[in-house]
PDB file of all heavy atoms in Angstrom:
ATOM      1  N   ALA E  32     -80.067 101.638 -24.987  1.00  0.00           N
ATOM      2  CA  ALA E  32     -79.271 102.686 -24.332  1.00  0.00           C
ATOM      3  C   ALA E  32     -80.085 103.974 -24.304  1.00  0.00           C
ATOM      4  O   ALA E  32     -80.292 104.612 -25.340  1.00  0.00           O
ATOM      5  CB  ALA E  32     -77.957 102.893 -25.073  1.00  0.00           C
ATOM      6  N   ALA E  33     -80.563 104.321 -23.106  1.00  0.00           N
ATOM      7  CA  ALA E  33     -81.454 105.482 -22.982  1.00  0.00           C
ATOM      8  C   ALA E  33     -81.014 106.379 -21.834  1.00  0.00           C
ATOM      9  O   ALA E  33     -81.798 107.171 -21.324  1.00  0.00           O
ATOM     10  CB  ALA E  33     -82.885 104.985 -22.748  1.00  0.00           C
ATOM     11  N   ALA E  34     -79.757 106.237 -21.411  1.00  0.00           N
ATOM     12  CA  ALA E  34     -79.326 106.895 -20.170  1.00  0.00           C
ATOM     13  C   ALA E  34     -78.636 108.235 -20.382  1.00  0.00           C
ATOM     14  O   ALA E  34     -78.132 108.833 -19.428  1.00  0.00           O
ATOM     15  CB  ALA E  34     -78.417 105.953 -19.385  1.00  0.00           C
ATOM     16  N   GLY E  35     -78.605 108.715 -21.629  1.00  0.00           N
ATOM     17  CA  GLY E  35     -77.913 109.983 -21.881  1.00  0.00           C
ATOM     18  C   GLY E  35     -78.685 111.181 -21.340  1.00  0.00           C
ATOM     19  O   GLY E  35     -79.883 111.105 -21.081  1.00  0.00           O
ATOM     20  N   ARG E  36     -77.968 112.293 -21.224  1.00  0.00           N
ATOM     21  CA  ARG E  36     -78.601 113.502 -20.666  1.00  0.00           C
ATOM     22  C   ARG E  36     -79.347 114.299 -21.732  1.00  0.00           C
ATOM     23  O   ARG E  36     -80.239 115.077 -21.417  1.00  0.00           O
ATOM     24  CB  ARG E  36     -77.533 114.389 -20.028  1.00  0.00           C
ATOM     25  CG  ARG E  36     -77.126 113.901 -18.653  1.00  0.00           C
ATOM     26  CD  ARG E  36     -76.313 114.961 -17.926  1.00  0.00           C
ATOM     27  NE  ARG E  36     -74.905 114.829 -18.237  1.00  0.00           N
ATOM     28  CZ  ARG E  36     -74.066 114.073 -17.519  1.00  0.00           C
ATOM     29  NH1 ARG E  36     -74.484 113.428 -16.462  1.00  0.00           N
ATOM     30  NH2 ARG E  36     -72.803 113.993 -17.847  1.00  0.00           N
ATOM     31  N   GLY E  37     -78.953 114.142 -22.982  1.00  0.00           N
ATOM     32  CA  GLY E  37     -79.623 114.906 -24.041  1.00  0.00           C
ATOM     33  C   GLY E  37     -79.297 116.381 -23.979  1.00  0.00           C
ATOM     34  O   GLY E  37     -80.159 117.230 -24.190  1.00  0.00           O
ATOM     35  N   GLU E  38     -78.027 116.695 -23.732  1.00  0.00           N
ATOM     36  CA  GLU E  38     -77.652 118.106 -23.569  1.00  0.00           C
ATOM     37  C   GLU E  38     -77.893 118.915 -24.838  1.00  0.00           C
ATOM     38  O   GLU E  38     -78.350 120.053 -24.781  1.00  0.00           O
ATOM     39  CB  GLU E  38     -76.193 118.215 -23.112  1.00  0.00           C
ATOM     40  CG  GLU E  38     -76.124 118.079 -21.599  1.00  0.00           C
ATOM     41  CD  GLU E  38     -74.741 117.797 -21.063  1.00  0.00           C
ATOM     42  OE1 GLU E  38     -73.759 117.923 -21.828  1.00  0.00           O
ATOM     43  OE2 GLU E  38     -74.660 117.440 -19.871  1.00  0.00           O
ATOM     44  N   ARG E  39     -77.590 118.318 -25.996  1.00  0.00           N
ATOM     45  CA  ARG E  39     -77.751 119.068 -27.246  1.00  0.00           C
ATOM     46  C   ARG E  39     -79.218 119.284 -27.602  1.00  0.00           C
ATOM     47  O   ARG E  39     -79.560 120.219 -28.303  1.00  0.00           O
ATOM     48  CB  ARG E  39     -76.996 118.362 -28.380  1.00  0.00           C
ATOM     49  CG  ARG E  39     -75.494 118.494 -28.236  1.00  0.00           C
ATOM     50  CD  ARG E  39     -74.760 117.545 -29.145  1.00  0.00           C
ATOM     51  NE  ARG E  39     -74.913 116.146 -28.728  1.00  0.00           N
ATOM     52  CZ  ARG E  39     -74.400 115.112 -29.372  1.00  0.00           C
ATOM     53  NH1 ARG E  39     -73.713 115.321 -30.476  1.00  0.00           N
ATOM     54  NH2 ARG E  39     -74.559 113.884 -28.915  1.00  0.00           N
ATOM     55  N   LEU E  40     -80.101 118.431 -27.109  1.00  0.00           N
ATOM     56  CA  LEU E  40     -81.531 118.614 -27.360  1.00  0.00           C
ATOM     57  C   LEU E  40     -82.052 119.765 -26.504  1.00  0.00           C
ATOM     58  O   LEU E  40     -82.951 120.501 -26.908  1.00  0.00           O
ATOM     59  CB  LEU E  40     -82.294 117.321 -27.048  1.00  0.00           C
ATOM     60  CG  LEU E  40     -83.759 117.288 -27.445  1.00  0.00           C
ATOM     61  CD1 LEU E  40     -83.918 117.481 -28.958  1.00  0.00           C
ATOM     62  CD2 LEU E  40     -84.403 115.977 -27.017  1.00  0.00           C
ATOM     63  N   LYS E  46     -83.191 113.079 -22.782  1.00  0.00           N
ATOM     64  CA  LYS E  46     -83.697 112.903 -24.149  1.00  0.00           C
ATOM     65  C   LYS E  46     -84.716 111.761 -24.267  1.00  0.00           C
ATOM     66  O   LYS E  46     -85.706 111.880 -24.983  1.00  0.00           O
ATOM     67  CB  LYS E  46     -82.515 112.672 -25.094  1.00  0.00           C
ATOM     68  CG  LYS E  46     -82.866 112.587 -26.545  1.00  0.00           C
ATOM     69  CD  LYS E  46     -81.708 112.990 -27.442  1.00  0.00           C
ATOM     70  CE  LYS E  46     -80.545 112.039 -27.426  1.00  0.00           C
ATOM     71  NZ  LYS E  46     -79.415 112.524 -28.245  1.00  0.00           N
ATOM     72  N   ALA E  76     -81.247 100.795 -20.188  1.00  0.00           N
ATOM     73  CA  ALA E  76     -80.354 101.615 -19.351  1.00  0.00           C
ATOM     74  C   ALA E  76     -80.978 103.002 -19.281  1.00  0.00           C
ATOM     75  O   ALA E  76     -81.104 103.688 -20.300  1.00  0.00           O
ATOM     76  CB  ALA E  76     -78.958 101.683 -19.955  1.00  0.00           C
ATOM     77  N   GLY E 104     -74.529 104.532 -17.056  1.00  0.00           N
ATOM     78  CA  GLY E 104     -73.241 105.031 -16.582  1.00  0.00           C
ATOM     79  C   GLY E 104     -72.914 106.389 -17.163  1.00  0.00           C
ATOM     80  O   GLY E 104     -73.768 107.045 -17.759  1.00  0.00           O
ATOM     81  N   GLU E 105     -71.668 106.800 -17.004  1.00  0.00           N
ATOM     82  CA  GLU E 105     -71.225 108.118 -17.451  1.00  0.00           C
ATOM     83  C   GLU E 105     -71.157 108.229 -18.973  1.00  0.00           C
ATOM     84  O   GLU E 105     -71.362 109.293 -19.535  1.00  0.00           O
ATOM     85  CB  GLU E 105     -69.853 108.448 -16.853  1.00  0.00           C
ATOM     86  CG  GLU E 105     -69.932 109.198 -15.534  1.00  0.00           C
ATOM     87  CD  GLU E 105     -70.836 110.435 -15.624  1.00  0.00           C
ATOM     88  OE1 GLU E 105     -70.553 111.313 -16.466  1.00  0.00           O
ATOM     89  OE2 GLU E 105     -71.833 110.507 -14.882  1.00  0.00           O
ATOM     90  N   SER E 106     -70.826 107.120 -19.624  1.00  0.00           N
ATOM     91  CA  SER E 106     -70.750 107.140 -21.087  1.00  0.00           C
ATOM     92  C   SER E 106     -71.709 106.091 -21.637  1.00  0.00           C
ATOM     93  O   SER E 106     -72.174 105.206 -20.912  1.00  0.00           O
ATOM     94  CB  SER E 106     -69.335 106.805 -21.546  1.00  0.00           C
ATOM     95  OG  SER E 106     -69.040 105.460 -21.205  1.00  0.00           O
ATOM     96  N   ARG E 107     -71.945 106.179 -22.944  1.00  0.00           N
ATOM     97  CA  ARG E 107     -72.822 105.201 -23.580  1.00  0.00           C
ATOM     98  C   ARG E 107     -72.278 103.796 -23.382  1.00  0.00           C
ATOM     99  O   ARG E 107     -73.025 102.870 -23.038  1.00  0.00           O
ATOM    100  CB  ARG E 107     -72.946 105.524 -25.073  1.00  0.00           C
ATOM    101  CG  ARG E 107     -73.861 104.566 -25.832  1.00  0.00           C
ATOM    102  CD  ARG E 107     -73.779 104.824 -27.330  1.00  0.00           C
ATOM    103  NE  ARG E 107     -74.693 103.988 -28.077  1.00  0.00           N
ATOM    104  CZ  ARG E 107     -74.430 102.741 -28.451  1.00  0.00           C
ATOM    105  NH1 ARG E 107     -73.276 102.183 -28.136  1.00  0.00           N
ATOM    106  NH2 ARG E 107     -75.327 102.063 -29.137  1.00  0.00           N
ATOM    107  N   SER E 110     -73.002 102.534 -20.013  1.00  0.00           N
ATOM    108  CA  SER E 110     -74.425 102.184 -19.877  1.00  0.00           C
ATOM    109  C   SER E 110     -74.692 100.811 -20.475  1.00  0.00           C
ATOM    110  O   SER E 110     -75.413  99.996 -19.897  1.00  0.00           O
ATOM    111  CB  SER E 110     -75.303 103.235 -20.564  1.00  0.00           C
ATOM    112  OG  SER E 110     -75.182 104.482 -19.927  1.00  0.00           O
ATOM    113  N   ASP E 129     -79.823 102.549 -29.709  1.00  0.00           N
ATOM    114  CA  ASP E 129     -79.945 103.878 -29.089  1.00  0.00           C
ATOM    115  C   ASP E 129     -81.410 104.271 -29.009  1.00  0.00           C
ATOM    116  O   ASP E 129     -82.082 104.337 -30.056  1.00  0.00           O
ATOM    117  CB  ASP E 129     -79.270 104.948 -29.969  1.00  0.00           C
ATOM    118  CG  ASP E 129     -77.770 104.796 -30.044  1.00  0.00           C
ATOM    119  OD1 ASP E 129     -77.172 104.284 -29.094  1.00  0.00           O
ATOM    120  OD2 ASP E 129     -77.202 105.212 -31.087  1.00  0.00           O
ATOM    121  N   ALA E 130     -81.881 104.596 -27.820  1.00  0.00           N
ATOM    122  CA  ALA E 130     -83.247 105.121 -27.702  1.00  0.00           C
ATOM    123  C   ALA E 130     -83.388 106.404 -28.520  1.00  0.00           C
ATOM    124  O   ALA E 130     -84.487 106.765 -28.943  1.00  0.00           O
ATOM    125  CB  ALA E 130     -83.591 105.386 -26.239  1.00  0.00           C
ATOM    126  N   ALA E 131     -82.266 107.079 -28.773  1.00  0.00           N
ATOM    127  CA  ALA E 131     -82.275 108.321 -29.551  1.00  0.00           C
ATOM    128  C   ALA E 131     -82.596 108.089 -31.028  1.00  0.00           C
ATOM    129  O   ALA E 131     -82.702 109.051 -31.793  1.00  0.00           O
ATOM    130  CB  ALA E 131     -80.931 109.029 -29.409  1.00  0.00           C
ATOM    131  N   LYS E 231     -80.609 109.712 -35.765  1.00  0.00           N
ATOM    132  CA  LYS E 231     -80.450 109.902 -34.319  1.00  0.00           C
ATOM    133  C   LYS E 231     -80.920 111.293 -33.928  1.00  0.00           C
ATOM    134  O   LYS E 231     -80.461 112.290 -34.479  1.00  0.00           O
ATOM    135  CB  LYS E 231     -78.996 109.704 -33.893  1.00  0.00           C
ATOM    136  CG  LYS E 231     -78.851 109.742 -32.380  1.00  0.00           C
ATOM    137  CD  LYS E 231     -77.522 109.197 -31.933  1.00  0.00           C
ATOM    138  CE  LYS E 231     -76.439 110.217 -32.173  1.00  0.00           C
ATOM    139  NZ  LYS E 231     -75.224 109.898 -31.420  1.00  0.00           N
ATOM    140  N   VAL E 232     -81.837 111.348 -33.001  1.00  0.00           N
ATOM    141  CA  VAL E 232     -82.315 112.643 -32.508  1.00  0.00           C
ATOM    142  C   VAL E 232     -81.214 113.252 -31.644  1.00  0.00           C
ATOM    143  O   VAL E 232     -80.877 112.726 -30.586  1.00  0.00           O
ATOM    144  CB  VAL E 232     -83.612 112.480 -31.683  1.00  0.00           C
ATOM    145  CG1 VAL E 232     -83.978 113.800 -31.009  1.00  0.00           C
ATOM    146  CG2 VAL E 232     -84.752 111.987 -32.567  1.00  0.00           C
TER     147      VAL E 232
HETATM  148  N1  LIG H 301     -76.462 107.056 -23.742  1.00  0.00           N
HETATM  149  C1  LIG H 301     -76.498 106.245 -22.617  1.00  0.00           C
HETATM  150  N2  LIG H 301     -75.678 106.545 -21.554  1.00  0.00           N
HETATM  151  C2  LIG H 301     -74.868 107.609 -21.587  1.00  0.00           C
HETATM  152  C3  LIG H 301     -74.818 108.430 -22.729  1.00  0.00           C
HETATM  153  C4  LIG H 301     -75.640 108.117 -23.817  1.00  0.00           C
HETATM  154  O1  LIG H 301     -77.252 105.274 -22.572  1.00  0.00           O
HETATM  155  N3  LIG H 301     -74.119 107.885 -20.524  1.00  0.00           N
HETATM  156  C5  LIG H 301     -77.382 106.757 -24.852  1.00  0.00           C
HETATM  157  C6  LIG H 301     -78.337 107.916 -25.125  1.00  0.00           C
HETATM  158  O2  LIG H 301     -79.458 107.837 -24.244  1.00  0.00           O
HETATM  159  C7  LIG H 301     -78.690 107.733 -26.580  1.00  0.00           C
HETATM  160  C8  LIG H 301     -77.453 107.039 -27.167  1.00  0.00           C
HETATM  161  O3  LIG H 301     -76.674 106.598 -26.056  1.00  0.00           O
HETATM  162  O4  LIG H 301     -79.824 106.916 -26.776  1.00  0.00           O
HETATM  163  C9  LIG H 301     -76.658 107.952 -28.068  1.00  0.00           C
HETATM  164  O5  LIG H 301     -76.161 109.046 -27.310  1.00  0.00           O
HETATM  165  P1  LIG H 301     -76.402 110.590 -27.647  1.00  0.00           P
HETATM  166  O6  LIG H 301     -77.186 110.723 -28.896  1.00  0.00           O
HETATM  167  O7  LIG H 301     -75.115 111.307 -27.501  1.00  0.00           O
HETATM  168  O8  LIG H 301     -77.422 111.007 -26.477  1.00  0.00           O
HETATM  169  P2  LIG H 301     -77.145 111.912 -25.211  1.00  0.00           P
HETATM  170  O9  LIG H 301     -75.817 111.573 -24.625  1.00  0.00           O
HETATM  171  O10 LIG H 301     -78.346 111.786 -24.350  1.00  0.00           O
HETATM  172  O11 LIG H 301     -77.149 113.373 -25.847  1.00  0.00           O
HETATM  173  P3  LIG H 301     -76.059 114.550 -25.605  1.00  0.00           P
HETATM  174  O12 LIG H 301     -74.732 113.958 -26.048  1.00  0.00           O
HETATM  175  O13 LIG H 301     -76.542 115.675 -26.447  1.00  0.00           O
HETATM  176  O14 LIG H 301     -76.089 114.857 -24.133  1.00  0.00           O
END
Side-chain angles (χ1 to χ4, degrees):
R36 281 193 272 270
E38 275 164 12
R39 288 167 290 178
L40 188 60
K46 185 154 68 184
E105 268 308 302
S106 66
R107 181 188 183 276
S110 295
D129 293 331
K231 186 165 77 164
V232 172

